[in-house]
Amino acid sequence: MEHASYPTLSRINRALSTVLEWVTIGLMIMLTVIVAAAVIARLMGQSFSWYDEIAAIMLAWITYYGSALAALHRRHIGFDTVLLKLPLKVRVAALLLGEAIVLIFFFLMARAGLQVLEVLAGDTLISLTWVPIQVTQSVIPIGAILFMICQILSLPSYLKLTAAGLSLEHAEIEEEVETELEKNKDRV
């Protein structure tokens, strides 16, 4: 989320957004290539022993990095309408409480992810024995930390909009409606 009142945060948000977009897109392209290659190999009577395991891992990575990107842009499911019905002080308190709960959850997830990495020390993938499971599971703490960073970076502008009584969801819906009306203007 960008906001003119926070130019430094906006620059950081744009940079982080670009990195997360490229990582997510890169992972999606790699997953597509792997799945397509596996399908072609099967059609030719061959089969990769590693493709199922790697595809599942890559899908998890896409989910974690994509969710951090969504957090940066405040695109996760929310309850702006309910929040905006509350009086200003209660609204801000509810927003901050919700943010604290989310951050605590992801902090605990990062901590648990680090513990998982310790437990998995020395284990490798079944199909690719040269790949440590710690590498594949590192996405848990990394993704949780990225989510927390993105949530914190997007908080100031989200707080300002919510305190002003503006909804991200409503603005997005109105923009889509206007776009559709503009497209359909010629049909009438």
Side-chain angles (χ1 to χ4, degrees), residues 92-111:
V92 170
L95 185 146
L96 293 174
L97 176 64
E99 292 295 310
I101 291 169
V102 168
L103 291 173
I104 289 168
F105 173 81
F106 279 97
F107 172 78
L108 294 173
M109 186 171 147
R111 191 167 159 236

Side-chain angles (χ1 to χ4, degrees), residues 115-132:
Q115 291 171 341
V116 165
L117 292 181
E118 288 177 25
V119 170
L120 296 174
D123 290 348
T124 61
L125 294 181
I126 294 169
S127 58
L128 297 174
T129 56
W130 54 271
V131 178

Side-chain angles (χ1 to χ4, degrees), residues 11-182:
R11 284 193 300 275
I12 293 169
N13 286 4
R14 280 194 304 274
L16 184 56
S17 179
T18 301
V19 169
L20 287 172
E21 286 171 9
W22 280 104
V23 167
T24 305
I25 290 168
L27 288 169
M28 291 172 74
I29 290 169
M30 287 172 36
L31 178 61
T32 303
V33 168
I34 288 170
V35 170
V39 167
I40 292 168
R42 280 199 182 159
L43 290 174
M44 296 174 66
Q46 301 295 320
S47 182
F48 300 137
S49 62
W50 51 267
Y51 126 83
D52 287 336
E53 195 171 24
I54 297 301
I57 291 165
M58 292 186 75
L59 189 56
W61 285 11
I62 291 167
T63 302
Y64 277 91
Y65 291 113
S67 70
L69 180 61
L72 186 63
H73 294 284
R74 293 287 168 159
R75 296 292 186 227
H76 284 282
I77 296 172
F79 299 101
D80 280 356
T81 305
V82 174
L83 198 58
L84 295 177
K85 296 290 183 195
L86 299 172
L88 179 61
K89 289 183 180 182
V90 177
R91 179 184 325 152
V92 170
L95 185 146
L96 293 174
L97 176 64
E99 292 295 310
I101 291 169
V102 168
L103 291 173
I104 289 168
F105 173 81
F106 279 97
F107 172 78
L108 294 173
M109 186 171 147
R111 191 167 159 236
L114 290 171
Q115 291 171 341
V116 165
L117 292 181
E118 288 177 25
V119 170
L120 296 174
D123 290 348
T124 61
L125 294 181
I126 294 169
S127 58
L128 297 174
T129 56
W130 54 271
V131 178
I133 289 184
Q134 284 182 316
V135 170
T136 65
Q137 299 305 310
S138 66
V139 74
I140 298 169
I142 293 170
I145 291 167
L146 279 172
F147 195 100
M148 288 188 299
I149 290 168
C150 291
Q151 198 77 3
I152 291 167
L153 286 174
S154 64
L155 179 59
S157 56
Y158 180 61
L159 180 60
K160 190 169 188 171
L161 289 172
T162 304
L166 300 174
S167 168
L168 291 175
E169 295 170 3
H170 294 181
E172 191 174 296
I173 291 168
E174 289 172 8
E175 184 179 315
E176 287 295 322
V177 168
E178 287 178 22
T179 302
E180 287 300 315
L181 287 174
E182 194 65 33

